[in-house]
Amino acid sequence: MAPLHSLISRFMRSLVMKFTFMTAVLMIATATFLMVIENRFDQRANEATLVERAGLKAQILALNISDDILADDTSRLQSRVSSLVERADVTQAFIADARRRMLVHSDPVGMVESGLAADPLVVMALGSGETRSETTNNTVRVAAPVYSAANRLVGVVYTESPMDELRAAAGIAMRRHMLTATIAMLIFLPIAAGLIFWSLRPIASLTDAARTASSKTLDVRINVKTGDELEVLANAFNRMLSRIDSNLKRIHRLAYVDMVTELPNRERFRKEVERVTQKAVEEDTAGAVLFLDLDRFKRVNDSLGIEEGDRLLEMVARRLREAARGHDLAMGGAGEPSMVARLGGDEFTLLVPGIDDSAEIARYAQMIISALARPFDVSGHQVFLGASIGIAVFPQDGAEPESLLRHADLAMAHAKESGGNAAHFFEPSMNQSAFERLVLENELRDAVKENQLVVFYQPKVRMTDGIVASSEALVRWNHPTSGLLSPGHFIDAAEESGLIGEIGDWVMRNACAQAAEWASHGLVLPVAVNVSAMQFESPDFADSVLEILEQTGLAPELLEIELTESIAMRDPQRVIDQVQPLRDRGVKFAIDDFGTGHSSLSYLTRMPFDVFKIDQSFVRSMAEDPHSRAVVETILALAKALKLKTVAEGVETTEQLTALREEGATLAQGYLFSKPVPAADFEAYARAILEDEERAASA
Ligand code: C2E
Ligand code: CA
Ligand code: CA
C-alpha cells in the first residue's frame, strides 16, 4: 500500500493540485463577492418596494376613511384598522384626526397611553400634508394624511409593517445564488483542473526527464513545443543534458581508455577481471589472465622515436584485438568475450574467460605470440618484435585482479628470462624467488650506501712473453652475512632495480682512480671496465665517463670499455653514436663474450671496436670440440683482418694457452695466471712479473 500512499501524497503535492486549489479559492472568493454585492442591490430594491407597498396600504386606507372621521364613526374606523392589522404585513396601525387626536388604534394599550399621536412622522405628515415613511429596526413606518372630499385635511393614518418578508426574500435569493455558485464550481473546477493539467504537461515531462537523467540514463531528450518559457527551459535542459553526457563520456574515456592504443587501460581491465572472476566463482568456471611484455620494444622505440613507437603500439594493439576476437569467434561467440588491455609502456594484458584446459590456454598464448611474430611495417622499416607471456589461471592462481596480475607478471618475467618469445604458466615457487629478489634489491641499496662493494682486478697477459699487459676490473659485494659475492648473484637485480647505474658509475670511478694511481707509481697498465646495457644506453653515458676520466686524471688511452656482444648487436647506429665521442678521445672498446651472440660478420666490420674477447666457453671446449676450435679460428682470423687485438678469456690450462698461442691470440686472461684479486694483490703480482722480466733482460 505504501506506493499507492506515496503516489497519492505526491499527487496532492503536485503543481496541478496546487493550481487547482488556488483556482477553487479564487472561484469561491469571486462568487462570494458577487453574492454579497447582488444581495445588497436586492435588499435595496426589496426595501423600496416594501416601503412603497406599505405607503400604498396606508394611502388606500386614508382615501376611504375621511367620511368616517368626519362622522366620528369610531367603530367603523376600528374595524378598518383591525382588518388592516389582521393582514400579516401590518403590525400596528392607528388613525388620528387633523389635530392628532387618536381616534382608533390597533392596539388598545397604545390608545390608552396617549390621547394625542406624538410620533414625529405623524407630525410631519400632518404638517406637510404628504405621506411620510421611514424604516427603522426592520420596520417600515408610514403616516399618510387623510383628505375629505372637499380636499380638507381631516386626519392621518399610521401603519407599521415588519420587514420579515424582506429577509425571507433575501434568504431565498442567497440560497439560489449559492446553488448556482456550487453548480458552477462543479462544472468549471474540473475544466479548470483539466486546463491546468494540460498547460503544465511540459513541466511534467521536464520532471520525468530530470528524474530519468538523475537515476538511469542521460540519453533523454524532452520535446516541448509550447513556444513559451517552458520551451526555452526544455531546450536549455536538453543542451545541458547533452553537455553533461558528452563530458561524462570524455571523463570515462580518460579514466578507462588508453589514449595511444584505444584499448581499455589498467583500471578498466582490473574492473573487468574483478567482475569476471566473481562470476567465475559463483558459476564454478575458470579462465586465464595473460600478462604480455614485448621483447625488443624499447630498442625500437629508442631508435624510431616516440611517435613511431606509438604507431607500433597501435599496430600491436590491433593484432592483439584481432587475435582475441578470432579466438572468441572460434569458440562460437558464446560466453564472455576476451578483453585486451594496455597497462602502459610495452605491457599488455588479456583476460580470457571460460577457458580452463591448460593445453588450450597454452595454445591461446602461442596464437598470440605467433600473431606478434610477423614483422611490423613502421614507415617502411620491417620491425620484428617478440612477446613474453605470463599466464595466471583463475581461480586457482588467485581470485582477485591484483594477485592474478602479479602472478601473471611473475610468470612473464620467467618467460623473458628464458629468452623471450615464450609463454610461461605461473607456479607458486615464483612467489618465493620474487620475494628473494625483493630482499636482495633492498640489501643492494644498502650495499651501495654503506660501501660494501669492492673492485677486484684480473690480469690480461701477453701471449708472447707472459707479461701483464692490462687488467679487468670486476666488482664484488662484501655482503655482511653471505661474505664475498660475485656479480652473478646481484648484477641482474641491480639492472632490474635501476641500481646498476649507480653501481656501474662507482666501479668506473674506482677503477679509473686505481689505474691512475698505479700509473703515477710507474705501473702504466690499461684497465678494462664492464658496462651493462642500461648503463651504456643512458644518454649521458659518454659525458659521465669523460667526467670521471678528468676527475681521476686517468689518460683516456688507459681505459677500455667492455660491452657484451648482445649490447653491441642491439642497435648499431646507437652504439656508434655512443662510442664515437669516447673513441675520439682515445678510449678503447672491447666486445665481451664474443662468439655467443651470433653477430653477422658484415655488421661487425662496421663497428668501432678495438678488441675482441673470445668467450670462455669456446676456450674451455676448444680441445675436445672441433666446432669450438673452428669458431676460435674464425674469430682470430677476422680480428687479424680487421687489425684488432684479441683476448682469450678463461684460460685455465697450459694446453689451452699453447693452442691459443698457435692460433695467434694476442692476450690471455684466466685462472692459469691469476683469479680476480684485490688491487694490492694485483699490483704485487704485476710488479713481480715485471721485475722477473727486467732481471732476465739485464742478466
Ligand atoms: P665477464 O666480463 O665475462 O668477466 C669474466 C668472468 O670470468 C669473471 O667473473 C671472472 O672472474 C671469470 N673468470 C676469469 N678467468 C676465469 C677462468 O680461468 N675460469 C673461470 N671459470 N672463470 C674465469 P665474475 O667476476 O664473476 O664476473 C661475471 C660477470 O659479471 C662478468 O663477466 C661481467 O659480465 C659481469 N661484471 C663483473 N663486474 C662488472 C661490473 O663492474 N659491471 C658490470 N656491468 N658487469 C660486471
Ligand atoms: Ca668482461
Ligand atoms: Ca667475458
Side-chain angles (χ1 to χ4, degrees):
M1 274 301 93
L4 183 67
H5 178 262
S6 83
L7 211 69
I8 291 172
S9 98
R10 192 187 306 155
F11 177 71
M12 292 310 285
R13 281 181 284 124
S14 70
L15 275 181
V16 171
M17 213 42 209
K18 281 181 187 149
F19 277 106
T20 308
F21 179 71
M22 266 155 56
T23 312
V25 168
L26 264 176
M27 282 171 95
I28 291 170
T30 313
T32 314
F33 177 75
L34 285 176
M35 274 179 342
V36 167
I37 300 269
E38 182 77 349
N39 219 41
R40 267 285 134 78
F41 280 126
D42 269 9
Q43 213 170 342
R44 286 269 161 77
N46 285 347
E47 210 178 288
T49 319
L50 271 185
V51 169
E52 198 179 343
R53 210 189 295 158
L56 275 175
K57 273 182 219 153
Q59 279 169 1
I60 289 168
L61 187 62
L63 277 178
N64 295 322
I65 56 170
S66 59
D67 290 348
D68 294 339
I69 291 173
L70 287 174
D72 201 16
D73 188 346
T74 43
S75 66
R76 265 183 71 112
L77 286 173
Q78 189 68 51
S79 80
R80 278 187 191 271
V81 166
S82 303
S83 80
L84 188 66
V85 171
E86 262 156 37
R87 302 219 302 263
D89 50 354
V90 177
T91 44
Q92 246 188 60
F94 65 78
I95 300 168
D97 64 13
R99 287 189 307 274
R100 286 195 283 126
R101 193 169 51 90
M102 190 76 78
L103 298 176
V104 288
H105 198 294
S106 62
D107 185 358
V109 183
M111 181 76 196
V112 173
E113 261 173 12
S114 74
L116 271 179
D119 194 303
L121 204 67
V122 172
V123 177
M124 265 155 60
L126 282 175
S128 64
E130 280 170 15
T131 306
R132 291 285 176 220
S133 63
E134 187 188 72
T135 45
T136 44
N137 299 336
N138 268 329
T139 349
V140 187
R141 303 193 304 124
V142 182
V146 182
Y147 289 94
S148 68
N151 212 15
R152 191 167 57 92
L153 187 62
V154 291
V156 64
V157 174
Y158 173 87
T159 58
E160 270 180 30
S161 315
M163 298 223 285
D164 291 349
E165 200 187 339
L166 195 66
R167 228 183 281 134
I172 289 168
M174 184 69 109
R175 269 195 293 281
R176 203 182 53 231
H177 285 156
M178 265 164 62
L179 190 68
T180 320
T182 311
I183 290 172
M185 286 263 283
L186 287 179
I187 295 172
F188 290 110
L189 202 59
I191 294 179
L195 284 173
I196 290 168
F197 178 77
W198 179 77
S199 53
L200 289 185
R201 232 178 10 176
I203 291 190
S205 58
L206 266 164
T207 316
D208 279 348
R211 201 173 290 141
T212 322
S214 70
S215 62
K216 292 184 199 118
T217 166
L218 288 171
D219 227 13
V220 282
R221 293 297 173 267
I222 314 153
N223 190 15
V224 173
K225 289 277 168 283
T226 52
D228 55 16
E229 292 93 328
L230 286 179
E231 185 177 332
V232 177
L233 180 65
N235 288 342
F237 189 85
N238 284 341
R239 275 196 302 278
M240 182 181 82
L241 277 186
S242 79
R243 281 182 57 179
I244 293 178
D245 197 22
S246 70
N247 281 348
L248 275 183
K249 284 194 177 116
R250 237 175 72 82
I251 291 171
H252 188 271
R253 261 174 62 79
L254 286 175
Y256 291 117
V257 176
D258 169 58
M259 286 301 144
V260 174
T261 59
E262 301 271 315
L263 287 177
N265 66 5
R266 178 190 290 269
E267 193 44 37
R268 174 89 185 73
F269 186 77
R270 218 191 58 76
K271 286 205 155 127
E272 183 67 3
V273 172
E274 194 163 70
R275 189 183 68 76
V276 167
T277 47
Q278 245 162 36
K279 201 169 152 206
V281 169
E282 279 159 21
E283 294 175 0
D284 198 18
T285 59
V289 167
L290 275 63
F291 195 111
L292 183 152
D293 187 286
L294 297 176
D295 302 334
R296 290 188 290 279
F297 176 76
K298 284 196 179 66
R299 206 190 325 157
V300 175
N301 198 36
D302 287 346
S303 59
L304 293 178
I306 289 178
E307 225 160 89
E308 296 295 320
D310 282 357
R311 291 231 359 238
L312 183 57
L313 286 175
E314 256 175 76
M315 289 185 233
V316 168
R318 199 171 315 132
R319 280 202 202 165
L320 288 176
R321 218 173 356 216
E322 278 162 11
R325 196 180 311 134
H327 175 265
D328 289 348
L329 289 176
M331 298 312 325
E336 298 259 5
S338 18
M339 174 185 262
V340 186
R342 177 172 174 235
L343 295 195
D346 59 352
E347 291 177 344
F348 294 82
T349 44
L350 291 109
L351 169 66
V352 198
I355 190 169
D356 55 0
D357 175 26
S358 57
E360 201 188 325
I361 300 176
R363 264 201 303 283
Y364 187 98
Q366 202 47 55
M367 168 198 74
I368 298 286
I369 289 174
S370 328
L372 297 181
R374 283 181 287 123
F376 291 87
D377 179 49
V378 185
S379 4
H381 296 282
Q382 279 220 328
V383 174
F384 287 88
L385 292 175
S388 303
I389 295 181
I391 304 165
V393 178
F394 57 84
Q396 120 201 4
D397 295 339
E400 70 285 330
E402 281 72 23
S403 63
L404 278 169
L405 273 172
R406 197 180 64 246
H407 291 161
D409 188 5
L410 277 174
M412 185 280 293
H414 279 250
K416 186 141 274 192
E417 250 162 51
S418 65
N421 238 350
H424 269 214
F425 279 89
F426 168 76
E427 286 157 25
S429 65
M430 291 175 180
N431 258 332
Q432 184 55 33
S433 63
F435 176 70
E436 283 164 4
R437 171 57 60 87
L438 197 71
V439 170
L440 182 68
E441 281 184 15
N442 281 327
E443 288 183 344
L444 196 55
R445 241 173 267 278
D446 294 342
V448 177
K449 271 189 256 149
E450 289 165 19
N451 260 323
Q452 293 170 6
L453 298 178
V454 261
V455 184
F456 275 27
Y457 296 87
Q458 189 179 31
K460 296 182 200 169
V461 176
R462 218 150 50 198
M463 285 278 183
T464 45
D465 50 16
I467 297 265
V468 177
S470 62
S471 66
E472 177 174 5
L474 293 157
V475 70
R476 299 286 180 267
W477 176 7
N478 208 344
H479 191 275
T481 53
S482 309
L484 207 60
L485 297 179
S486 57
H489 288 101
F490 59 89
I491 284 289
D492 280 354
E495 288 249 5
E496 268 162 44
S497 58
L499 281 166
I500 192 70
E502 220 172 311
I503 293 175
D505 237 46
W506 183 87
V507 173
M508 176 77 70
R509 192 175 296 277
N510 259 264
C512 290
Q514 185 63 70
E517 195 201 310
W518 283 330
S520 69
H521 297 140
L523 192 65
V524 183
L525 289 176
V527 67
V529 177
N530 294 284
V531 165
S532 79
M534 211 185 206
Q535 204 183 341
F536 178 67
E537 280 163 6
S538 125
D540 51 5
F541 172 70
D543 288 344
S544 84
V545 172
L546 289 174
E547 189 190 301
I548 289 174
L549 286 173
E550 193 163 315
Q551 285 170 0
T552 55
L554 183 71
E557 305 77 46
L558 292 185
L559 176 63
E560 188 172 294
I561 289 173
E562 293 193 6
L563 298 174
T564 60
E565 187 183 344
S566 58
I567 302 176
M569 281 287 287
R570 278 199 188 180
D571 177 1
Q573 193 50 53
R574 200 183 158 85
V575 170
I576 293 170
D577 291 348
Q578 290 280 74
V579 162
Q580 209 52 55
L582 291 169
R583 270 193 108 213
D584 290 346
R585 305 293 180 92
V587 176
K588 303 279 183 301
F589 278 84
I591 298 188
D592 205 351
D593 303 344
F594 193 60
T596 56
H598 316 288
S599 319
S600 87
L601 290 180
S602 70
Y603 165 69
L604 277 171
T605 52
R606 285 189 285 117
M607 299 305 291
F609 286 96
D610 309 276
V611 182
F612 284 174
K613 294 190 77 178
I614 302 166
D615 191 64
Q616 41 186 287
S617 58
F618 299 110
V619 173
R620 197 168 305 134
S621 52
M622 238 171 75
E624 58 273 16
D625 180 9
H627 173 72
S628 292
R629 199 176 177 105
V631 171
V632 173
E633 279 170 19
T634 316
I635 295 173
L636 290 174
L638 182 71
K640 208 172 196 171
L642 295 171
K643 301 200 169 57
L644 300 181
K645 281 202 254 172
T646 45
V647 180
E649 287 188 290
V651 180
E652 293 181 352
T653 63
T654 39
E655 288 77 39
Q656 290 167 347
L657 181 67
T658 320
L660 286 160
R661 194 186 289 140
E662 278 168 13
E663 301 290 350
T666 336
L667 299 174
Q669 178 183 359
Y671 293 173
L672 180 62
F673 309 100
S674 166
K675 289 192 167 187
V677 289
D681 297 356
F682 173 85
E683 186 181 350
Y685 176 83
R687 282 196 195 283
I689 290 189
L690 275 175
E691 279 159 18
D692 274 2
E693 200 64 20
E694 275 160 17
R695 219 172 298 131
S698 62

